[in-house]
């Protein structure tokens, strides 16, 4: 706890109106929230790369975000860091009765049963707070990245049986949605000024992304991890393209077919290297 105390003291000093950091003093919950999200993603990136030293540093950055929010709340008279710790300790004990309640250690069963029990406890907590939403979709945060919210919506719906039995109909649905996107692209091309057509195109593209998230769920693939890998692959290959094209004056200004040949070379070299 002495390490935490030091971190809390550092944050208090940064937020001290008398000689603190001007940037830190200007911040509020809304301005810090994007940094909190960014740090969480950087933690995930370090895990994805298997870099334990970087993970240590990124976890520290994420912890700083918690401390920053707690400090601002304390200044506002709302709560302090200790209250945050007490709240999560209470929640974890409350939601794990199979671990912490006497005589219940063997009563829950496997991890699937634990999750069902967790959901039941969360529903009871919402009821105790007087939240009126009785939908199967209740409790999904609107602050999540939309791809993650899509998966959670699908998971909740699946718990009451509203789900495809396997990936085959999901793939069929994906092809259907892609055909609808093609139709809306044609409509926009025919009349670029048609605002309704552009709105329909956005709607259909959203449907494609939603179905892709559903397909990933059926494949038991994390959408964020899959997209991170795709981003890393694209960046790796594009940088290799740039290196290949450097001797020819670079990529800029070259026609697409010429650039594509560098892409093919970069992809082939990557496969030969086992990536």
């Amino acid at each position: 706890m002495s390490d935490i105390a030091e971190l809390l003291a550092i944050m208090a000093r940064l937020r001290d109106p008398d000689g603190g950091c001007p940037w830190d003093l200007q911040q509020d919950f809304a301005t810090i929230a994007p940094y909190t999200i960014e740090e969480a993603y950087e933690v995930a990136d370090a895990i994805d790369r298997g870099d334990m030293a970087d993970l240590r540093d990124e976890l520290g950055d994420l912890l700083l975000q918690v401390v920053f929010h707690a400090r601002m709340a304390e200044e506002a008279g709302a709560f302090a860091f200790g209250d945050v710790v007490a709240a999560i300790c209470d929640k974890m004990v409350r939601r794990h009765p199979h671990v912490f309640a006497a005589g219940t250690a063997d009563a829950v069963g496997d991890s699937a049963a634990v999750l069902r029990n967790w959901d039941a406890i969360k529903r009871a907590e919402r009821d105790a707070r007087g939240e009126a939403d009785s939908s199967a979709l209740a409790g999904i945060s609107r602050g999540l990245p939309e791809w993650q919210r899509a998966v959670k919506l699908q998971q909740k719906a699946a718990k009451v049986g509203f789900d495809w039995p396997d990936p085959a109909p999901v793939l069929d649905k994906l092809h259907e949605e892609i055909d609808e996107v093609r139709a809306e692209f044609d409509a926009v091309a025919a009349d670029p000024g048609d605002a309704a057509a552009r709105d329909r195109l956005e709607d259909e593209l959203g449907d494609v992304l939603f179905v892709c998230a559903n397909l990933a769920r059926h494949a038991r693939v994390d959408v964020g991890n899959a997209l991170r890998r795709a981003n890393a692959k694209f960046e790796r290959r594009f940088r290799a393209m740039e290196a290949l094209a450097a001797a020819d004056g670079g990529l800029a200004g070259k026609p697409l077919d010429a650039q594509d040949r560098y892409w093919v070379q970069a992809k082939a070299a990557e496969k030969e290297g086992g990536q």
Side-chain angles (χ1 to χ4, degrees), residues 213-260:
N214 208 350
L215 188 62
R217 182 178 64 87
H218 274 269
R220 297 184 179 180
V221 168
D222 181 89
V223 180
N225 286 341
L227 190 54
R228 258 196 306 276
R229 291 180 68 174
N231 287 341
K233 184 191 300 180
F234 177 83
E235 181 177 5
R236 192 169 60 242
R237 290 178 179 175
F238 189 85
R239 289 178 181 274
M241 284 173 61
E242 290 178 314
L244 289 168
D248 302 326
L251 288 175
K254 287 185 170 58
L256 181 58
D257 59 344
Q259 293 194 16
D260 194 52

Side-chain angles (χ1 to χ4, degrees), residues 17 30 34 45-46 98 115 120 123 135-136 140 161-163 165 169 178 194 205 210 212 218-221 229 244 275:
D45 178 61
H98 54 290
L115 289 176
R123 283 195 300 273
S135 170
I140 301 176
F162 190 68
D163 194 15
I178 289 172
D194 186 346
L205 283 168
F210 190 83
C212 284
H218 274 269
R220 297 184 179 180
V221 168
R229 291 180 68 174
L244 289 168
Q275 288 185 302

Side-chain angles (χ1 to χ4, degrees), residues 46-227:
I47 292 170
D48 191 51
R49 291 183 285 105
D51 189 333
M52 296 305 291
D54 198 30
L55 177 58
R56 176 201 61 206
D57 291 346
E58 296 301 344
L59 285 170
D61 291 344
L62 185 58
L63 176 59
L64 177 64
Q65 297 300 307
V66 177
V67 168
F68 206 141
H69 285 287
R71 179 63 197 179
M72 291 186 292
E74 184 175 3
E75 292 166 0
F79 57 83
F81 181 79
D83 300 309
V84 175
V85 175
I88 190 58
C89 288
D90 178 67
K91 182 185 293 184
M92 295 308 289
V93 171
R94 186 172 67 249
R95 293 186 180 177
H96 292 83
H98 54 290
V99 175
F100 296 104
T104 62
D106 299 323
V108 174
D110 61 14
S111 60
V114 170
L115 289 176
R116 288 193 297 272
N117 196 44
W118 177 281
D119 287 339
I121 293 170
K122 287 180 68 175
R123 283 195 300 273
E125 291 171 354
R126 289 197 297 270
D127 291 343
R129 292 194 298 267
E131 296 180 8
D133 191 352
S134 60
S135 170
L137 303 179
I140 301 176
S141 171
R142 294 187 180 276
L144 292 170
E146 293 301 334
W147 63 263
Q148 191 173 2
R149 192 160 188 271
V151 172
K152 285 188 174 292
L153 288 166
Q154 294 159 5
Q155 288 172 335
K156 291 269 192 176
K159 287 180 179 179
V160 297
F162 190 68
D163 194 15
W164 280 299
D166 57 64
V170 189
L171 286 166
D172 291 340
K173 185 65 174 177
L174 180 57
H175 286 295
E176 176 188 327
E177 296 294 351
I178 289 172
D179 287 340
E180 292 178 3
V181 166
R182 286 195 179 101
E184 295 306 334
F185 264 117
D186 290 342
V188 170
D191 185 1
D194 186 346
R198 295 203 64 84
D199 188 63
R200 291 194 305 271
L201 176 58
E202 180 177 317
D203 194 55
E204 295 300 342
L205 283 168
D207 289 345
V208 168
L209 294 171
F210 190 83
V211 175
C212 284
N214 208 350
L215 188 62
R217 182 178 64 87
H218 274 269
R220 297 184 179 180
V221 168
D222 181 89
V223 180
N225 286 341
L227 190 54

